[in-house]
Amino acid sequence: MRGKGIGYLQAIAAYTLWGIFPMYWRLMPEVNSFEVICHRIVWSLLTLIVCISAMQQWSSLRELLRQRKRLALCLLAALLISINWLVFIWAVQNKFVIESSLGYFINPLLTVVLAVVFFKERISGLQWFSIAIAMTGVIVMTIGTMRFPWIAVALATSFALYAAVKKKTTLPAISGLGMETAILAPIAVTMLLYYEVVLQSSSERMTQTWLLLVLGGPITTLPLVLFASAAKTVPLVAMGMLQYIGPTLQFLIGWLQLRENVSPSKAIGFLFVWFALGLFTWGNIIAERRRQQLTT
């Protein structure tokens, strides 16, 4: 029981860190989004090398290098996570934090749809209904604001596809991200050299900004380590409910701290999505109870 309690604390800490990420990336507004991503890749890779060594996961990476199909999937995962990071940081720097939170609210629903499409999994009628309600919410926002919420859709789609690809690679979370950042690192280093030598973008950069960029690696890795550890002891249904901590905090930061506009149509759209998530989560709880009854 004690181990499960620690697991819950680790899960809450991981989702809380993901939720307050917007506050961190907004501390360096003078650095453009793409350069931030390049730094994040490089410093994350160095941090992950330490983590992989500590967890003794090098054997899984050596095995991966001998399998072209899994390596190709890892390449695709690297592309998807880089798109997700870039869109998210751009959204944060341009005050679209509320819309980015919408992306992570609808992400679980989209992940389930992809599971049905790619892995032939079955879901209940209640879960299909909740997905339809969430889609209605997105439509309401689009019509009311006369603008398609592309940031939310891009974040949800890229991360849901990333999760689907990760399931195929069957790599541990830490070593998997390590391989993905290693794939992206040559491009990131090349672009950082271009920014430094050609554009001289860091010529007047403060020491504080450099420190924030370097710490972006450990800060990216820490919640992932906490999540990977929590997933070993915390039930899947509980992890599914706790995951809404992150987008909830993002929404509150965008609304209360950054004073982003929440129009009536956007508010109604979010209510649709939150109601859909409530139904979806209840459907998961019912399904889990039935599985437990069948096994006892």
Side-chain angles (χ1 to χ4, degrees):
M1 187 67 184
R2 184 181 178 184
K4 186 178 288 188
I6 293 173
Y8 274 103
L9 291 176
Q10 290 172 329
I12 292 170
Y15 287 124
T16 300
L17 286 170
W18 278 322
I20 62 175
F21 262 5
M23 297 174 64
Y24 185 82
W25 301 117
R26 282 186 59 81
L27 294 175
M28 45 192 122
E30 71 277 17
V31 187
N32 75 66
S33 305
F34 193 79
E35 189 175 357
V36 171
I37 287 297
C38 292
H39 277 283
R40 190 177 183 184
I41 290 168
V42 170
W43 301 116
S44 292
L45 174 60
L46 295 177
T47 307
L48 286 161
I49 288 173
V50 175
C51 293
I52 293 168
S53 299
M55 296 179 176
Q56 299 180 343
Q57 293 184 358
W58 288 109
S59 58
S60 61
L61 292 179
R62 285 193 292 268
E63 182 183 349
L64 172 68
L65 292 173
R66 293 193 292 266
Q67 301 177 29
R68 291 184 179 180
K69 185 178 179 180
R70 289 178 69 200
L71 194 57
L73 287 171
C74 210
L75 176 61
L76 178 57
L79 175 63
L80 290 168
I81 196 61
S82 63
I83 292 172
N84 185 271
W85 285 359
L86 180 59
V87 173
F88 178 73
I89 290 177
W90 185 91
V92 168
Q93 290 186 333
N94 290 275
K95 289 193 174 183
F96 286 100
V97 174
I98 288 178
E99 188 171 329
S100 70
S101 75
L102 174 64
Y104 291 111
F105 274 123
I106 64 177
N107 171 69
L109 303 175
L110 187 56
T111 299
V112 169
V113 173
L114 292 180
V116 172
V117 173
F118 292 118
F119 302 106
K120 309 302 179 184
E121 295 184 13
R122 294 183 178 182
I123 61 175
S124 66
L126 181 61
Q127 289 172 316
W128 276 121
F129 182 57
S130 66
I131 291 169
I133 293 175
M135 290 176 62
T136 303
V138 173
I139 292 170
V140 168
M141 289 186 199
T142 302
I143 294 173
T145 62
M146 298 298 292
R147 175 184 169 276
F148 182 68
W150 68 268
I151 293 170
V153 173
L155 287 172
T157 304
S158 59
F159 202 78
L161 287 170
Y162 174 72
V165 172
K166 291 279 282 186
K167 187 173 181 178
K168 284 284 188 181
T169 61
T170 64
L171 275 175
I174 305 300
S175 57
L177 186 60
M179 177 57 74
E180 292 151 19
T181 52
I183 291 171
L184 295 168
I187 300 172
V189 170
T190 302
M191 290 306 303
L192 287 177
L193 289 173
Y194 173 76
Y195 279 113
E196 179 68 25
V197 177
V198 179
L199 300 182
Q200 297 183 343
S201 60
S202 64
S203 57
E204 298 180 0
R205 189 167 292 165
M206 297 174 60
T207 304
Q208 177 185 344
T209 302
W210 277 110
L211 182 62
L212 290 170
L213 289 169
V214 172
L215 288 177
I219 286 173
T220 296
T221 306
L222 177 59
L224 184 67
V225 173
L226 291 169
F227 174 84
S229 179
K232 296 176 182 177
T233 57
V234 179
L236 188 60
V237 170
M239 291 293 284
M241 295 175 68
L242 291 172
Q243 71 181 316
Y244 300 123
I245 292 174
T248 299
L249 288 173
Q250 289 178 21
F251 179 89
L252 293 174
I253 288 170
W255 180 35
L256 299 177
Q257 182 183 5
L258 303 180
R259 303 295 180 182
E260 293 183 18
N261 179 47
V262 182
S263 63
S265 59
K266 188 178 289 186
I268 293 171
F270 263 101
L271 288 174
F272 270 96
V273 171
W274 290 333
F275 180 62
L277 290 172
L279 285 178
F280 180 79
T281 303
W282 178 245
N284 283 342
I285 293 172
I286 292 173
E288 182 63 24
R289 285 177 178 174
R290 286 175 179 171
R291 279 193 290 267
Q292 289 179 354
Q293 289 173 355
L294 291 173
T295 55
T296 55

Short mmCIF file of all heavy atoms in Angstrom, two decimals, residues 135-149 263-266 269:
data_model
loop_
_atom_site.label_atom_id
_atom_site.label_comp_id
_atom_site.label_asym_id
_atom_site.label_seq_id
_atom_site.Cartn_x
_atom_site.Cartn_y
_atom_site.Cartn_z
N MET A 135 -16.46 16.34 -29.92
CA MET A 135 -16.38 16.89 -31.27
C MET A 135 -17.38 18.04 -31.45
O MET A 135 -17.08 19.04 -32.10
CB MET A 135 -16.66 15.78 -32.29
CG MET A 135 -15.56 14.74 -32.39
SD MET A 135 -15.98 13.39 -33.53
CE MET A 135 -16.14 14.30 -35.07
N THR A 136 -18.55 17.89 -30.83
CA THR A 136 -19.54 18.96 -30.87
C THR A 136 -19.00 20.23 -30.21
O THR A 136 -19.20 21.35 -30.71
CB THR A 136 -20.84 18.53 -30.16
OG1 THR A 136 -21.33 17.34 -30.77
CG2 THR A 136 -21.89 19.62 -30.23
N GLY A 137 -18.29 20.05 -29.11
CA GLY A 137 -17.68 21.19 -28.43
C GLY A 137 -16.68 21.92 -29.31
O GLY A 137 -16.65 23.16 -29.35
N VAL A 138 -15.86 21.18 -30.04
CA VAL A 138 -14.88 21.78 -30.95
C VAL A 138 -15.61 22.54 -32.06
O VAL A 138 -15.20 23.64 -32.46
CB VAL A 138 -13.95 20.70 -31.54
CG1 VAL A 138 -13.05 21.30 -32.62
CG2 VAL A 138 -13.10 20.08 -30.43
N ILE A 139 -16.69 21.96 -32.57
CA ILE A 139 -17.47 22.61 -33.63
C ILE A 139 -18.09 23.92 -33.12
O ILE A 139 -18.09 24.94 -33.82
CB ILE A 139 -18.57 21.66 -34.16
CG1 ILE A 139 -17.93 20.48 -34.89
CG2 ILE A 139 -19.54 22.39 -35.08
CD1 ILE A 139 -18.89 19.37 -35.25
N VAL A 140 -18.61 23.89 -31.88
CA VAL A 140 -19.18 25.09 -31.28
C VAL A 140 -18.14 26.20 -31.20
O VAL A 140 -18.42 27.37 -31.52
CB VAL A 140 -19.76 24.78 -29.88
CG1 VAL A 140 -20.09 26.07 -29.13
CG2 VAL A 140 -20.99 23.91 -30.00
N MET A 141 -16.93 25.85 -30.76
CA MET A 141 -15.86 26.85 -30.68
C MET A 141 -15.52 27.41 -32.06
O MET A 141 -15.30 28.61 -32.22
CB MET A 141 -14.60 26.21 -30.07
CG MET A 141 -14.69 25.91 -28.61
SD MET A 141 -13.09 25.33 -27.98
CE MET A 141 -13.60 24.52 -26.48
N THR A 142 -15.45 26.53 -33.04
CA THR A 142 -15.09 26.96 -34.40
C THR A 142 -16.12 27.94 -34.96
O THR A 142 -15.77 28.98 -35.52
CB THR A 142 -14.97 25.74 -35.33
OG1 THR A 142 -13.99 24.84 -34.80
CG2 THR A 142 -14.56 26.16 -36.73
N ILE A 143 -17.39 27.60 -34.79
CA ILE A 143 -18.46 28.46 -35.31
C ILE A 143 -18.52 29.78 -34.54
O ILE A 143 -18.65 30.86 -35.12
CB ILE A 143 -19.82 27.73 -35.24
CG1 ILE A 143 -19.82 26.52 -36.17
CG2 ILE A 143 -20.97 28.68 -35.60
CD1 ILE A 143 -21.05 25.64 -36.06
N GLY A 144 -18.40 29.69 -33.21
CA GLY A 144 -18.54 30.89 -32.38
C GLY A 144 -17.40 31.87 -32.55
O GLY A 144 -17.61 33.09 -32.52
N THR A 145 -16.18 31.38 -32.70
CA THR A 145 -15.02 32.27 -32.83
C THR A 145 -14.62 32.51 -34.28
O THR A 145 -13.71 33.31 -34.54
CB THR A 145 -13.81 31.67 -32.08
OG1 THR A 145 -13.47 30.40 -32.66
CG2 THR A 145 -14.12 31.47 -30.60
N MET A 146 -15.28 31.80 -35.20
CA MET A 146 -14.93 31.89 -36.63
C MET A 146 -13.46 31.53 -36.87
O MET A 146 -12.81 32.08 -37.74
CB MET A 146 -15.24 33.29 -37.18
CG MET A 146 -16.71 33.67 -37.11
SD MET A 146 -17.75 32.56 -38.09
CE MET A 146 -17.22 33.01 -39.74
N ARG A 147 -12.97 30.63 -36.05
CA ARG A 147 -11.57 30.22 -36.17
C ARG A 147 -11.45 28.77 -35.72
O ARG A 147 -11.87 28.43 -34.60
CB ARG A 147 -10.67 31.10 -35.30
CG ARG A 147 -9.22 30.68 -35.26
CD ARG A 147 -8.41 31.55 -34.30
NE ARG A 147 -7.11 30.97 -34.08
CZ ARG A 147 -6.86 30.02 -33.17
NH1 ARG A 147 -7.84 29.56 -32.41
NH2 ARG A 147 -5.63 29.54 -33.03
N PHE A 148 -10.89 27.92 -36.58
CA PHE A 148 -10.69 26.52 -36.22
C PHE A 148 -9.59 26.40 -35.18
O PHE A 148 -8.50 26.98 -35.35
CB PHE A 148 -10.31 25.71 -37.46
CG PHE A 148 -10.14 24.24 -37.20
CD1 PHE A 148 -11.22 23.44 -36.87
CD2 PHE A 148 -8.88 23.64 -37.29
CE1 PHE A 148 -11.07 22.08 -36.62
CE2 PHE A 148 -8.71 22.29 -37.05
CZ PHE A 148 -9.81 21.51 -36.72
N PRO A 149 -9.82 25.72 -34.05
CA PRO A 149 -8.81 25.61 -32.99
C PRO A 149 -7.66 24.67 -33.40
O PRO A 149 -7.48 23.59 -32.83
CB PRO A 149 -9.60 25.07 -31.81
CG PRO A 149 -10.72 24.30 -32.42
CD PRO A 149 -11.07 25.02 -33.69
N SER A 263 -14.31 33.54 -24.59
CA SER A 263 -15.57 34.00 -25.15
C SER A 263 -16.69 33.04 -24.76
O SER A 263 -16.43 31.89 -24.37
CB SER A 263 -15.46 34.09 -26.67
OG SER A 263 -15.24 32.80 -27.22
N PRO A 264 -17.94 33.47 -24.86
CA PRO A 264 -19.07 32.57 -24.53
C PRO A 264 -19.04 31.27 -25.33
O PRO A 264 -19.28 30.20 -24.77
CB PRO A 264 -20.30 33.42 -24.87
CG PRO A 264 -19.84 34.83 -24.68
CD PRO A 264 -18.42 34.84 -25.11
N SER A 265 -18.75 31.37 -26.63
CA SER A 265 -18.72 30.15 -27.45
C SER A 265 -17.59 29.23 -27.03
O SER A 265 -17.74 28.00 -27.02
CB SER A 265 -18.58 30.51 -28.93
OG SER A 265 -17.39 31.25 -29.15
N LYS A 266 -16.44 29.81 -26.64
CA LYS A 266 -15.32 28.99 -26.18
C LYS A 266 -15.67 28.32 -24.85
O LYS A 266 -15.35 27.15 -24.63
CB LYS A 266 -14.06 29.84 -26.03
CG LYS A 266 -12.80 29.04 -25.73
CD LYS A 266 -11.57 29.94 -25.64
CE LYS A 266 -11.17 30.47 -27.00
NZ LYS A 266 -9.89 31.23 -26.93
N GLY A 269 -18.02 25.51 -25.56
CA GLY A 269 -17.28 24.42 -26.16
C GLY A 269 -16.51 23.62 -25.12
O GLY A 269 -16.50 22.38 -25.14
#
